[in-house]
Amino acid sequence: MSQGPLCAVVLAAGKGTRMRNALPKVLHDVAGRPLIGHVLQLTVELGCERSVLVLAPGMEPVERAARAFDEGLRVAIQDPPLGTGHAVKCALDELADRGTVIVLFGDTPLLSASTVRRLVDAREARDAAVAVLGMNPPSGEGYGRLASDAEGTLSAIVEYRHADEALRTSGMCNSGVMAIDASILRELVGAIGLQPEKNEYYLTDIVALARERGRSCIAVEGPWQEGHGVNSQAQLAEAEALWQQRRRRELLDAGVIMPAPETVWLSADVEIGPGAVIEQHVVFAGRARIAAGARIRAFSHIEDAEVGPASTVGPYARLRPGARLESGVHVGNFVEIKNARLGEGAKANHLTYLGDCSVGGGSNIGAGTITCNYDGFAKHRTEIGERVFVGSNTALVAPVTVGSDAIIGAGSVVTSDVGEGSVALSRAPLAERKGAAELLRRRMRRAKEEKRG
Ligand code: UD1
Ligand code: CA
């Protein structure tokens, strides 16, 4: 048995030309997180002793994004990229020469730690030179095939283009994920020959090379969804759909109530407590935290925001970064909240913008209230105390403070601080002319007729 350190190589130097745009392939998002972030999150979860990311020259933006997920990451530059075998060769100096090297692709975001762990354990238990993760997706088009010998053991990996019809139908698909004996990798990676057609060195050839030297190789089947590789925009959208399906199911299994889970869009960093209700067509982005027992009503958009227990949001509400609702808060339709804290039991039920502010517990914010937080140059804060009543259509011109228990009359423009317990009202006097409506209508009708001629 050749147990020892676990190292990971993540290949991401490919051009990703099939994505047909300028963004590096592994910076495309699934669930709001770049593909490379999903893969590095996995290597961290696996507790890899070393992780090496293989990039091509000029891919600094990928390196920067990657480091946000793994600070200790090592980077190897493949210049120029000449295939997956060549990519691993470029990483050798950074890898241990004992134990197991896991090869992962930056474009395979759905892989789980438990599946990779199973692959590594199988290789070590059977002292195989290489263990390959195979899969049986509904459509295996484009994937390499795992060829087996008469005994049923893995004998070679054949790229899709080179596989005959029989192998395409019978062989498992190659997910690309491999667990390789570190010393054998070192010995064999240099022996991989150039594939003249594409001018590339295929890592997949390592299986046949190991077999020629009398070492065994094994295939381990994993869930096909986990091996889904992203080479095109269509496959990226498929990866998103598969990711969403899986996460929705996990949340349902954990006790989150979602009557129409297929309409709810989750982000990689969302956390939802058991018993929270997520109604139809809710979209989460970034680090959203929804407490157990909260309710997010239909068509709401929640990004980098927190919703406390027994709070209700929506329908049609938007919580932007830094919105923090404590317990029992009610936020209703067409309310937008950004960088603002709403204390226990506070209410903002209709058509309101609360930005850069704090609303104390028990306060009621009337319909159409706006915090005027931006003067064209800088953002300013609005501080509202506890149990304050803000009448409808109030403009709070920040910076401004409203003390606890104050009442602000509807339609007020609040340009200076309001003290605790005060009543504040700014209102132009109402002018009424008795019976004047009919006169006015006549005049307007005449003007319209004259215009028509
Ligand atoms: C590869 C496998 C194929 C498998 C499929 C699974 C090979 C030869 N083929 O094909 O058997 O079914 O993945 O998704 O391995 N890369 C580099 N440097 C290079 C070339 C590629 O780092 O010179 C990286 C890419 O950025 C990518 C990964 O390696 O992350 C795989 O390359 P890609 O071109 O996507 O291979 P596939 O054609 O998908
Ligand atoms: Ca690929």
Side-chain angles (χ1 to χ4, degrees):
M1 291 257 291
S2 53
Q3 280 173 358
L6 187 62
C7 296
V9 188
V10 179
L11 308 190
K15 284 196 208 72
T17 42
R18 290 169 278 179
M19 298 304 280
R20 300 204 184 283
N21 66 25
L23 186 67
K25 172 159 78 176
V26 296
L27 291 188
H28 285 73
D29 282 350
V30 161
R33 175 186 287 172
L35 298 179
I36 194 67
H38 286 272
V39 180
L40 292 177
Q41 185 90 1
L42 172 72
T43 60
V44 169
E45 231 173 283
L46 284 165
C48 292
E49 197 150 299
R50 297 182 195 177
S51 299
V52 186
L53 175 64
V54 181
L55 297 174
M59 292 181 91
E60 288 75 17
V62 176
E63 183 177 343
R64 273 196 297 280
R67 286 205 189 280
F69 294 90
D70 180 0
E71 285 174 1
L73 188 69
R74 296 159 187 239
V75 171
I77 301 295
Q78 187 190 13
D79 185 11
L82 291 173
T84 48
H86 179 246
V88 172
K89 197 173 164 195
C90 293
L92 277 187
D93 285 352
E94 305 287 343
L95 294 168
D97 47 15
R98 298 180 311 110
T100 301
V101 173
I102 331 166
V103 178
L104 302 166
F105 292 169
D107 68 358
T108 308
L110 292 146
L111 208 57
S112 74
S114 60
T115 298
V116 179
R117 183 42 72 190
R118 191 152 62 80
L119 185 74
V120 171
D121 290 348
R123 188 200 80 70
E124 287 175 355
R126 292 162 65 180
D127 198 22
V130 183
V132 179
L133 187 69
M135 56 177 179
N136 281 307
S139 158
E141 206 185 320
Y143 290 110
R145 292 298 195 267
L146 307 187
S148 306
D149 57 21
E151 285 81 52
T153 50
L154 183 65
S155 55
I157 305 178
V158 184
E159 280 311 284
Y160 185 77
R161 310 165 37 247
H162 303 301
D164 60 22
E165 204 42 50
L167 183 59
R168 281 183 185 180
T169 0
S170 67
M172 247 200 298
C173 289
N174 174 28
S175 70
V177 182
M178 294 188 196
I180 308 177
D181 179 310
S183 62
I184 291 180
L185 176 68
R186 217 161 263 278
E187 190 186 317
L188 295 188
V189 83
I192 295 174
L194 186 72
Q195 283 283 339
E197 263 174 71
K198 294 198 90 185
N199 199 36
E200 282 191 4
Y201 298 88
Y202 289 172
L203 180 64
T204 43
D205 288 352
I206 202 167
V207 169
L209 289 174
R211 288 299 303 265
E212 280 166 21
R213 283 158 178 77
R215 293 295 308 263
S216 74
C217 295
I218 57 171
V220 172
E221 188 178 347
W224 66 265
Q225 293 91 336
E226 291 194 22
H228 179 82
V230 173
N231 298 310
S232 63
Q233 298 298 335
Q235 285 172 338
L236 178 68
E238 281 163 24
E240 179 77 45
L242 289 170
W243 189 96
Q244 293 291 338
Q245 247 168 42
R246 181 169 75 186
R247 188 78 183 114
R248 287 169 190 143
R249 184 56 204 249
E250 283 170 4
L251 291 175
L252 290 169
D253 289 347
V256 173
I257 302 166
M258 280 191 282
E262 68 283 4
T263 67
V264 173
W265 288 83
L266 302 160
S267 59
D269 292 317
V270 72
E271 279 176 25
I272 307 179
V277 180
I278 312 298
E279 293 186 0
Q280 296 83 348
H281 299 280
V282 171
V283 175
F284 293 99
R287 283 185 177 277
R289 303 254 178 290
I290 311 301
R295 177 182 280 264
I296 311 297
R297 303 192 61 196
F299 297 99
S300 294
H301 191 280
I302 317 267
E303 177 179 11
D304 290 317
E306 278 175 46
V307 179
S311 289
T312 304
V313 173
Y316 298 98
R318 178 166 182 211
L319 301 189
R320 291 174 49 205
R324 192 153 62 80
L325 314 189
E326 293 176 358
S327 62
V329 172
H330 285 232
V331 167
N333 43 213
F334 307 108
V335 173
E336 174 181 346
I337 301 183
K338 184 215 75 171
N339 187 29
R341 179 194 74 90
L342 271 67
E344 189 179 341
K347 291 188 178 130
N349 275 329
H350 334 263
L351 299 159
T352 285
Y353 173 60
L354 296 173
D356 302 307
C357 76
S358 160
V359 176
S363 289
N364 189 315
I365 308 295
T369 295
I370 306 284
T371 51
C372 309
N373 60 329
Y374 185 53
D375 57 14
F377 293 92
K379 301 276 170 64
H380 303 282
R381 289 194 59 84
T382 300
E383 310 289 348
I384 299 173
E386 294 179 359
R387 298 169 302 278
V388 171
F389 180 87
V390 178
S392 295
N393 201 30
T394 292
L396 295 150
V397 183
V400 73
T401 298
V402 180
S404 290
D405 300 300
I407 295 175
I408 297 177
S412 295
V413 178
V414 180
T415 49
S416 58
D417 292 352
V418 175
E420 229 179 272
S422 296
V423 172
L425 184 66
S426 83
R427 212 172 267 176
L430 184 72
E432 183 188 2
R433 285 189 288 143
K434 298 262 187 225
E438 191 45 36
L439 287 173
L440 184 61
R441 277 199 197 93
R442 256 188 249 153
R443 206 164 71 214
M444 289 194 293
R445 206 172 291 130
R446 217 172 22 247
K448 192 171 172 183
E449 279 162 8
E450 276 167 15
K451 204 170 165 198
R452 273 206 208 122

